[in-house]
Amino acid sequence: MQKSNLVHILKQFSRRDWRELGKMVRSSYFNQREDVVRLFSYLEQKMKTAGSRELEREKVFRFVFKKETFDQQKLRYTTSFLFNIVKRYLIQVELEADKIQAQQYLYRGMRKKGLEVFFTKELSNTTALLEKGRYRDSHFYLKNYQLGMDDAISKMPQRRIGAMNFQSIGDFLNISYLSSMLRLSCNIQSHGTISGQVYDVNLLKEVLSLIQSGQYIDIPAVALYYRCYQAIEFLKNGDLHHSELNFNELKMLINRHWKLFPPSEIRDIYLFTINYCIKRLNAGDKEYIREAFELFRSGLENETLLEEGFISSFTYKNITRLGVALKEHQWVEQFLENYKNYLHPRIKDNAWRYNLAFFFFQQEKYKSAMQLLVLVEFKDTLNNLDARRMLLKSYFELGEYDALDSLLDSFSRYINRQKELGYHKDNYLNLIRFVKKVIHTNEKEKLKELKADILNTSALAEKEWLLEKI
């Protein structure tokens, strides 16, 4: 049972999930089978304390069905019943979290029962609840459209003559659609940069033309994504002037309206904007180091870059590197310490050591960097390569050539074991090859030949550093 879908899902459950699911399993409304209750009780006990052997099918069956002969099909049926209750629990959790959706089900249910007075009251309550909410994202406008349509459909039989509120209902639908279409387009831009995929987004030209005409541009849910999309698109077409105008407008809109979006959505907007800065950096526009750094710092201050209370290793690393590049050393050192505990426990120690080592390394505090780097163990291959690169340079700078020789051999073996390094493989293998030659070459003429060889090698990490060392 260890590999069953049921166990896989239950492994992700919190204490609260187990407690609330237990109430559902033991409720006769959701479940009337005692074998399902016994199976749940067994899993609840064993998954918290015991090893995988306690989840073997025979042991589970013995607990649930006592002295009966083992029947795999019978256990499978019971497991399936419990699995369905787990799915109902997850639906219930999401429904309770979305109060507007729950209210919609409530007033629609009342209308189906012919309770028009209660329907009208609950519809009004739902509208008031929606207006009280903090967010003004596309979801807000879509819900307003749905509420408006439910209200209009209920009133139409009595109002065959006279005005209805269809204009505002249509506006809500338009805003929701425009915001969603632009958000999709920004995601396509971001994904396409990495994957090279090309997508044909129908009606995007019409959407952009409508907004350029001045309609809906004052709506934050539309404006932020419009500016984000246009900044990237103008950059792609080489129009830096209009690209920068849209980028600056986007920054202003983020500062003014970030509270209007759910955390996951405003975090994406921040990352889209930071990715724009990275594109500019890659093109040689060094002033965007500061732009990216300030965006990251802003996202930290308002906590939008935290996901369920955690900072990603990607964000932690990029903030460190940008801060070091700007020589914000005091701030970076404080950041590394203050946000260490915001890293997920699975990655905390490695990510902290790696980035603190980079911080020391950039200040030429090689011994401090080495003490941390030898403790770093990354599953991510590129971070692993980078950690070994820093260790290699640290040994060299400190003249610890015996340790460096040993590292070069292990580094080479590590690279050759990796299957999907792409161009990184040649870059690093050539680095290792040349470092070995540098530390074992003393003759002036041979060093000249080595320098020429390095200059003529295109696939080579740390070329400038190697030339400097020669």
Side-chain angles (χ1 to χ4, degrees):
M1 248 188 113
Q2 179 70 19
K3 295 182 180 180
S4 70
N5 291 335
L6 174 62
V7 170
H8 181 73
I9 291 175
L10 291 177
K11 281 180 178 179
Q12 307 306 317
F13 272 31
S14 64
R15 290 183 180 180
R16 183 181 183 279
D17 288 326
W18 279 100
R19 184 174 64 251
E20 298 304 312
L21 176 61
K23 294 176 185 177
M24 186 176 281
V25 170
R26 295 181 179 97
S27 166
S28 59
Y29 177 80
F30 295 101
N31 172 49
Q32 296 181 0
R33 294 178 61 113
E34 284 300 318
D35 58 333
V36 173
V37 175
R38 289 194 296 272
L39 175 59
F40 172 80
S41 298
Y42 183 84
L43 293 176
E44 182 180 31
Q45 176 189 351
K46 299 301 182 183
M47 285 184 68
K48 291 178 181 178
T49 59
S52 58
R53 293 192 64 184
E54 294 300 314
L55 296 180
E56 291 174 357
R57 289 187 177 87
E58 290 78 4
K59 289 189 177 182
V60 177
F61 187 91
R62 197 178 308 126
F63 180 88
V64 176
F65 298 105
K66 307 304 177 187
K67 297 181 180 180
E68 292 186 36
T69 303
F70 177 72
D71 185 336
Q72 185 166 310
Q73 189 64 30
K74 190 170 186 177
L75 179 61
R76 188 177 290 120
Y77 282 139
T78 304
T79 302
S80 178
F81 277 114
L82 179 55
F83 189 40
N84 285 332
I85 296 172
V86 169
K87 288 192 281 189
R88 290 188 70 177
Y89 167 74
L90 293 172
I91 293 170
Q92 188 67 27
V93 168
E94 291 301 312
L95 183 58
E96 289 176 3
D98 190 344
K99 293 180 180 178
I100 302 298
Q101 185 65 65
Q103 277 290 121
Q104 285 182 279
Y105 287 143
L106 173 62
Y107 71 65
R108 287 170 183 170
M110 287 179 167
R111 188 169 184 228
K112 287 178 182 178
K113 298 296 183 185
L115 303 169
E116 292 298 328
V117 175
F118 292 101
F119 163 79
T120 303
K121 181 181 177 181
E122 292 302 335
L123 179 58
S124 177
N125 289 342
T126 309
T127 302
L129 185 63
L130 183 61
E131 285 300 319
K132 283 181 184 176
R134 165 180 160 183
Y135 303 131
R136 293 297 182 267
D137 57 341
S138 64
H139 183 73
F140 167 82
Y141 293 101
L142 178 61
K143 287 298 177 185
N144 264 302
Y145 158 73
Q146 291 172 347
L147 293 174
M149 283 300 293
D150 286 338
D151 185 44
I153 289 169
S154 71
K155 290 175 179 176
M156 279 181 68
Q158 290 80 37
R159 292 192 186 177
R160 295 185 181 277
I161 300 175
M164 294 287 288
N165 198 27
F166 286 127
Q167 182 61 56
S168 64
I169 294 172
D171 285 339
F172 285 135
L173 180 59
N174 285 341
I175 294 168
S176 176
Y177 175 78
L178 292 174
S179 176
S180 298
M181 171 64 82
L182 289 167
R183 184 181 183 184
L184 170 65
S185 300
C186 289
N187 274 285
I188 287 173
Q189 278 180 331
S190 178
H191 177 71
T193 301
I194 301 167
S195 68
Q197 292 278 357
V198 178
Y199 301 89
D200 182 15
V201 183
N202 291 328
L203 300 182
L204 177 59
K205 288 181 181 178
E206 288 78 5
V207 165
L208 295 172
S209 177
L210 181 66
I211 299 169
Q212 285 160 4
S213 72
Q215 296 191 60
Y216 305 111
I217 191 61
D218 58 334
I219 305 295
V222 173
L224 266 85
Y225 287 116
Y226 173 76
R227 296 298 180 187
C228 182
Y229 179 83
Q230 292 290 64
I232 295 290
E233 203 62 19
F234 278 120
L235 179 62
K236 196 161 61 176
N237 295 328
D239 187 343
L240 291 184
H241 174 69
H242 285 98
S243 178
E244 287 171 3
L245 285 177
N246 280 279
F247 171 73
N248 290 327
E249 188 71 20
L250 174 59
K251 284 194 302 175
M252 182 271 293
L253 290 169
I254 290 173
N255 289 332
R256 188 180 295 172
H257 299 303
W258 66 268
K259 290 183 179 180
L260 300 181
F261 297 85
S264 62
E265 187 167 350
I266 193 62
R267 183 166 55 251
D268 284 348
I269 292 171
Y270 262 100
L271 294 177
F272 288 145
T273 314
I274 289 165
N275 284 341
Y276 174 88
C277 296
I278 292 170
K279 287 178 186 295
R280 297 301 299 268
L281 279 171
N282 290 340
D285 299 323
K286 298 301 182 185
E287 66 269 24
Y288 280 86
I289 296 175
R290 173 63 66 181
E291 295 281 8
F293 179 71
E294 294 301 339
L295 282 163
F296 271 122
R297 186 147 64 174
S298 167
L300 285 179
E301 288 170 0
N302 60 34
E303 298 187 347
T304 55
L305 289 179
L306 299 181
E307 189 170 357
E308 296 182 358
F310 294 115
I311 186 172
S312 74
S313 59
F314 166 84
T315 299
Y316 194 71
K317 175 181 175 179
N318 279 327
I319 291 173
T320 300
R321 303 213 167 199
L322 290 168
V324 167
L326 292 167
K327 301 191 184 305
E328 297 264 4
H329 294 137
Q330 186 176 351
W331 187 92
V332 171
E333 189 168 19
Q334 199 67 47
F335 160 75
L336 287 169
E337 187 59 34
N338 290 346
Y339 281 86
K340 176 183 177 182
N341 291 326
Y342 285 89
L343 292 162
H344 195 282
R346 286 198 304 269
I347 64 167
K348 181 172 76 172
D349 290 337
N350 265 332
W352 173 73
R353 288 176 188 139
Y354 170 57
N355 286 285
L356 185 58
F358 174 82
F359 175 72
F360 287 139
F361 178 82
Q362 291 299 112
Q363 297 175 78
E364 300 183 0
K365 297 177 180 178
Y366 298 120
K367 286 192 175 180
S368 296
M370 283 164 51
Q371 289 169 358
L372 292 162
L373 288 169
V374 294
L375 298 173
V376 171
E377 293 180 5
F378 272 120
K379 290 184 179 178
D380 180 89
T381 305
L382 294 183
N383 282 341
N384 209 319
L385 289 173
D386 190 49
R388 291 169 187 257
R389 176 192 63 83
M390 285 191 284
L391 197 55
L392 178 156
K393 291 176 70 175
S394 297
Y395 280 138
F396 188 100
E397 297 291 354
L398 294 171
E400 297 187 11
Y401 298 126
D402 289 340
L404 178 56
D405 259 331
S406 177
L407 172 67
L408 292 172
D409 289 338
S410 65
F411 198 176
S412 181
R413 287 194 298 271
Y414 173 79
I415 291 170
N416 286 315
R417 285 199 304 269
Q418 308 308 309
K419 303 297 182 185
E420 298 180 0
L421 280 182
Y423 66 90
H424 295 291
K425 184 171 185 177
D426 287 339
N427 281 347
Y428 279 98
L429 285 176
N430 282 331
L431 170 63
I432 293 166
R433 178 168 64 88
F434 282 123
V435 168
K436 283 184 176 181
K437 288 185 177 182
V438 171
I439 62 178
H440 293 296
T441 302
N442 293 316
E443 296 176 24
K444 192 172 182 180
E445 288 304 315
K446 287 188 176 180
L447 284 172
K448 284 184 179 180
E449 292 173 8
L450 184 56
K451 181 178 179 179
D453 197 2
I454 290 171
L455 284 168
N456 291 325
T457 303
S458 56
L460 175 58
E462 298 291 346
K463 179 181 283 191
E464 290 183 11
W465 176 78
L466 279 166
L467 292 170
E468 177 191 316
K469 294 307 119 181
I470 285 179

